[in-house]
Amino acid sequence: MFDKKMLPLMGAACALVLAVVQPAAAQTAPPFGGATSSAPGSATDPNPTSVTRDSSGSRMNRNTAEGRRQERANSQRERQAAAAAAATPEQIRAEAQAQATAAGLTCQVTEAVNPGVTAEQIKIYEAACASGPGYILIASTPPQNFDCLELAGTAYTARLRDPAADVGQQCVLPANQNGLAVIGGWAREAGVACTVDEAVAIGKSSENNIVYEVGCTGVDGYWLEKVATGWKLQDCLQIVSVGGTCRFTTAQEQADGFEPKLAGTDAAACDVAQVRLMGSNPNGRFYEAKCAAEGEGYIARVSTAGVTEQIYPCATAQRIGNGCTLTPAPAAAPAPTE
């Protein structure tokens, strides 16, 4: 019935967000990402960042070979740091642009900083792009790049498990705190008509595409995946029906978003309290809507165009799928007395 390729993302890896991207050190809303790559500077990064300098040569015995070697290494690091400090913003932006181009990114760098070097003294850049997400760039061979949305999503997921987690290098340029705007724009491209109020990269699909979750104001949210043919969109009712979780959508938002589909039908008076997606066939999707009124509920068949074409009261719909499960079955009539 539904595409279950997303299932591996559900569970622990099911959250790479954004209620709006905030700086990594002080996020007050869900970030964006579901990164599967190790953030530079994290415990698993093969090139851990080093943005501080050890000038501990004075603590060593300078007469030893080891002391002299360490002193030379410290001096080299200090010279490199001084050279980096002397670079102008324009030079840093040009260097970051060269790295982005070498990495094959379609990024017109508008701003860049050089936050430090790796343990191997390889320069690190953070670049903001004219459109889309920014990147952390490592000037290695071949060049490495880390999507800011993925990094923020990874940090968000890690901090859900452990608020004190080491999340490694994060994007801090104000221009890169644009996750909600970027992912919200992609959602609109994919056909989402709601007001997107939260968004996040939650992981990768089996095709290695980044998957994003978006939350909508007052209605159902979505999972969003960029595929070769465009955008693949799955609403959260569909995600929940196959065992997934949407972090930014409540059951009430789903009920409120579904209720307009009953307008003009025999179930128009139903104040929808809860809704679930039962399944689909070539004729469309089947939903169960539980009404606020005690014991009242319906199954609605909605066409692929989103039009409700048939309504079945739960009391007589036991043969449709597994029948209604949200709406309690009517109590059996008492046996007649003689």
Side-chain angles (χ1 to χ4, degrees):
M1 299 193 304
F2 297 116
D3 182 1
K4 297 189 178 181
K5 294 180 180 178
M6 304 296 293
L7 286 175
L9 295 171
M10 302 163 186
C14 199
L16 265 133
V17 117
L18 49 151
V20 194
V21 176
Q22 300 292 334
Q27 292 178 13
T28 58
F32 26 76
T36 56
S37 303
S38 299
S42 68
T44 57
D45 178 34
N47 294 303
T49 58
S50 174
V51 296
T52 60
R53 296 180 299 280
D54 179 10
S55 58
S56 59
S58 61
R59 300 179 183 180
M60 293 184 168
N61 181 348
R62 297 177 184 268
N63 293 323
T64 66
E66 177 59 25
R68 289 192 297 273
R69 187 199 64 77
Q70 185 63 56
E71 184 177 2
R72 287 194 299 272
N74 289 340
S75 297
Q76 181 182 14
R77 282 196 292 269
E78 289 169 359
R79 287 194 300 272
Q80 290 172 333
T88 66
E90 292 74 18
Q91 288 172 324
I92 294 174
R93 185 172 67 248
E95 291 171 3
Q97 181 67 72
Q99 291 302 315
T101 302
L105 302 174
T106 55
C107 169
Q108 180 184 342
V109 177
T110 57
E111 184 181 3
V113 292
N114 172 212
V117 296
T118 68
E120 291 75 22
Q121 302 303 302
I122 299 172
K123 284 186 177 181
I124 299 170
Y125 300 92
E126 178 187 346
C129 304
S131 62
Y135 296 89
I136 296 292
L137 305 165
I138 299 179
S140 55
T141 303
Q144 299 178 67
N145 65 89
F146 299 84
D147 183 317
C148 288
L149 299 183
E150 276 197 270
L151 290 174
T154 301
Y156 175 74
T157 303
R159 286 171 176 154
L160 286 177
R161 295 192 297 264
D162 177 6
D166 176 6
V167 297
Q169 184 79 42
Q170 293 292 310
C171 298
V172 298
L173 285 173
N176 283 335
Q177 313 313 309
N178 62 346
L180 183 60
V182 171
I183 300 175
W186 291 338
R188 288 188 291 275
E189 287 180 17
V192 172
C194 71
T195 299
V196 175
D197 55 11
E198 294 180 283
V200 60
I202 55 174
K204 287 192 175 182
S205 68
S206 56
E207 288 78 23
N208 203 38
N209 301 316
I210 303 176
V211 180
Y212 306 90
E213 179 186 343
V214 298
C216 295
T217 302
V219 295
D220 201 16
Y222 298 88
W223 277 16
L224 182 68
E225 177 188 354
K226 184 64 179 289
V227 296
T229 55
W231 289 103
K232 177 181 178 180
L233 198 62
Q234 296 181 88
D235 59 58
C236 285
L237 280 170
Q238 183 176 356
I239 296 301
V240 171
S241 74
V242 293
T245 300
C246 286
R247 296 179 183 275
F248 308 135
T249 300
T250 66
Q252 188 61 56
E253 285 178 319
Q254 291 180 324
D256 292 346
F258 183 77
E259 189 166 315
K261 293 187 181 298
L262 301 182
T265 72
D266 292 343
C270 174
D271 179 8
V272 179
Q274 196 173 353
V275 64
R276 71 181 179 99
L277 176 59
M278 300 173 65
S280 67
N281 65 21
N283 294 319
R285 290 182 173 187
F286 292 79
Y287 298 88
E288 178 189 353
K290 177 185 178 181
C291 307
E294 183 69 27
E296 183 183 0
Y298 299 90
I299 291 177
R301 179 169 63 80
V302 180
S303 72
T304 55
V307 178
T308 302
E309 296 183 332
Q310 202 157 359
I311 293 290
Y312 309 86
C314 282
T316 59
Q318 292 89 345
R319 294 185 179 181
I320 298 176
N322 294 319
C324 294
T325 60
L326 300 177
T327 307
T337 58
E338 296 183 2

